[in-house]
Amino acid sequence: VGYPCLLLTPSALTVAAAGQGHKQISELLLKTARSQMAAPLKVCVIGSGNWGCAVAKIIGKNVQTIPKFARTVNMWVFEEMVNNRKLTEIINQEHENVKYLPGHKLPENVVAIPDLKDAARGADLLVFVVPHQFIRKLCDEIVDQVPQNAIGISLIKGIDEGPEGLKLISDIIREKMKIDVSVLMGANIANEVAADKFCETTIGSKNVQNGNIFKELLQTSNFRITVVDDAETVELCGALKNIVAVGAGFCDGLLSGDNTKAAVIRLGLMEMIAFSKIFCKGSVSVATFLESCGVADVITTCYGGRNRKIAEAFVKTGKTIEQLEQEMLNGQKLQGPQTSAEVHHILKQRSMVDKFPLFTAVYQICYESKPVGELIACLQSHPEHM
């Protein structure tokens, strides 16, 4: 009949088999084609820091060639003034976030929107890339703006505390928005991703079909994605590795050497695994720690990430974390210290502080004025050595 690209429905095949005329078959095939031409999925990126813009750059390019996605990508931008101009105005006119991702052009179909509700309205796919301490308020603002069948993905690296202890950021989004939420974590330094340098990442999704939708939205030849169903472990890796990176930065500031830093990385990874096994609701696969979200992310963050960089400066300059955030991150918030505080409170509730000496030392140095030089002493009697 000449419709090689269409999926024939059972009803169309029945008519054909019954020897009906070409006209009826054509009408059924046309009806089938229309039903298959669903409206393209609208995408909203919630957040516009360096990682948010790096991801928006990928999405903006991909949706131009994949018909199932709408060509315009909304990106919510917290409005601020940069050189006496609105940041959204700069992004929409010059297609560059000159404050948080300078030197990298965004596709013209990525539209910066300062009003959160306007940005999210009608979005089928929500990509969350904001500091984790703001997620509850943001979800409350947009919960009535998106379709019931919308799905989300969190790129937020952090955890929260609930009445029962640990609370994952994806759980907060899921409960607030009543939507399915996947997570994306991996060895992905934003500037390198924006520069299209090869890397891998991991999507954790309890609904693998939804995970694969986001894989199609985000994957490129240089941004390779693996989808796994161990979503809780993937998300915890993304949060906990920032604590390890702060410890690695302290090592660099103390000029402790590569052997000591390697020990911090290994012991940190072991604490990540132990913490996940205790606090994840579902089963934990150790194999997940061999994905990009695990050991690869720990390594890259401990050598090239902002948490390591700020922690090193903390030792060398004697300045506070808050001062260094303003000076070195344009005011963006560091996740490692805050995550260490949340983890410490959870461990304290369970009387498990002594079982996680690296996590505990990072917290005490950042918040309780523990001398940074005592970091190594905290590790010398690590449970892994007993």
Side-chain angles (χ1 to χ4, degrees):
V1 181
Y3 295 92
C5 64
L6 293 177
L7 173 66
L8 295 181
T9 63
S11 57
L13 292 171
T14 300
V15 171
Q20 299 297 322
H22 281 251
K23 182 178 179 181
Q24 284 180 279
I25 296 173
S26 297
E27 288 174 353
L28 278 167
L29 288 172
L30 186 59
K31 186 177 179 181
T32 300
R34 285 171 177 164
S35 69
Q36 291 175 13
M37 292 172 62
L41 300 170
K42 296 180 181 178
V43 183
C44 175
V45 179
I46 300 175
S48 58
N50 62 343
W51 186 213
C53 285
V55 168
K57 180 179 179 181
I58 290 175
I59 294 173
K61 286 183 177 179
N62 280 354
V63 299
Q64 295 180 46
T65 59
I66 306 175
K68 73 158 56 174
F69 303 118
R71 288 179 63 88
T72 298
V73 176
N74 287 357
M75 180 173 71
W76 175 64
V77 175
F78 180 78
E79 190 70 281
E80 52 188 307
M81 300 301 292
V82 179
N83 298 325
N84 296 317
R85 294 175 64 191
K86 292 180 179 179
L87 183 56
T88 52
E89 177 184 291
I90 295 172
I91 292 173
N92 289 330
Q93 293 180 1
E94 300 176 18
H95 309 292
E96 180 181 349
N97 188 331
V98 296
K99 182 169 184 180
Y100 297 119
L101 194 67
H104 298 282
K105 293 293 183 180
L106 298 173
E108 294 186 8
N109 59 321
V110 174
V111 179
I113 300 176
D115 186 279
L116 178 59
K117 289 184 178 181
D118 287 346
R121 187 170 294 121
D124 303 291
L125 305 177
L126 298 164
V127 182
F128 294 90
V129 205
V130 293
H132 72 278
Q133 54 266 37
F134 303 127
I135 194 62
R136 294 178 188 274
K137 181 176 181 292
L138 296 179
C139 286
D140 286 339
E141 286 191 44
I142 64 171
V143 63
D144 59 350
Q145 301 297 319
V146 301
Q148 289 185 342
N149 61 346
I151 58 176
I153 189 166
S154 171
L155 282 65
I156 300 170
K157 297 181 175 179
I159 59 173
D160 200 5
E161 296 175 73
E164 300 175 1
L166 176 69
K167 190 83 168 177
L168 296 175
I169 303 305
S170 64
D171 285 336
I172 296 172
I173 300 170
R174 197 175 290 112
E175 291 171 8
K176 290 276 189 182
M177 301 289 297
K178 309 299 182 191
I179 63 174
D180 183 68
V181 183
S182 303
V183 296
L184 183 148
M185 307 286 158
N188 309 136
I189 292 174
N191 284 4
E192 294 182 15
V193 174
D196 201 29
K197 295 182 178 180
F198 180 83
C199 66
E200 299 175 309
T201 199
T202 311
I203 287 178
S205 184
K206 295 175 182 177
N207 183 323
V208 175
Q209 182 178 356
N210 289 345
N212 283 323
I213 290 174
F214 283 111
K215 177 176 180 176
E216 187 174 3
L217 177 69
L218 288 158
Q219 182 162 261
T220 72
S221 58
N222 279 330
F223 192 66
R224 307 307 292 174
I225 300 174
T226 302
V227 180
V228 301
D229 60 7
D230 191 7
E232 288 184 344
T233 305
V234 172
E235 185 167 3
L236 269 179
C237 282
L240 298 176
K241 58 93 183 186
N242 283 329
I243 306 177
V244 183
V246 173
F250 290 158
C251 281
D252 289 341
L254 292 168
L255 302 177
S256 298
D258 291 334
N259 292 343
T260 302
K261 187 171 178 178
V264 166
I265 291 171
R266 189 190 80 84
L267 294 172
L269 186 60
M270 297 308 292
E271 290 192 18
M272 288 169 58
I273 295 171
F275 188 93
S276 299
K277 286 183 175 180
I278 293 169
F279 291 99
C280 278
K281 297 171 187 173
S283 60
V284 172
S285 171
V286 176
T288 302
F289 292 91
L290 298 178
E291 298 288 349
S292 180
C293 64
V295 63
D297 199 7
V298 173
I299 291 170
T300 197
T301 309
C302 288
Y303 279 92
R306 64 173 71 175
N307 287 277
R308 185 219 66 80
K309 184 178 180 181
I310 297 288
E312 180 183 20
F314 175 84
V315 178
K316 290 183 173 180
T317 66
K319 295 179 179 179
T320 66
I321 296 292
E322 291 75 15
Q323 286 176 308
L324 294 168
E325 285 173 337
Q326 287 295 331
E327 293 177 12
M328 300 173 67
L329 299 179
N330 282 324
Q332 289 191 104
K333 290 298 179 184
L334 207 61
Q335 297 301 312
Q338 183 162 348
T339 302
S340 77
E342 288 153 348
V343 164
H344 183 76
H345 295 153
I346 292 168
L347 292 174
K348 198 170 182 181
Q349 288 175 359
R350 298 280 289 268
S351 300
M352 290 181 151
V353 170
D354 292 344
K355 296 183 183 297
F356 295 86
L358 176 60
F359 289 176
T360 300
V362 169
Y363 164 76
Q364 291 174 335
I365 292 167
C366 289
Y367 293 100
E368 296 184 350
S369 302
K370 187 182 188 74
V372 69
E374 294 184 21
L375 173 70
I376 307 307
C378 296
L379 303 179
Q380 288 170 341
S381 57
H382 198 283
E384 284 296 313
H385 301 144
M386 298 297 108

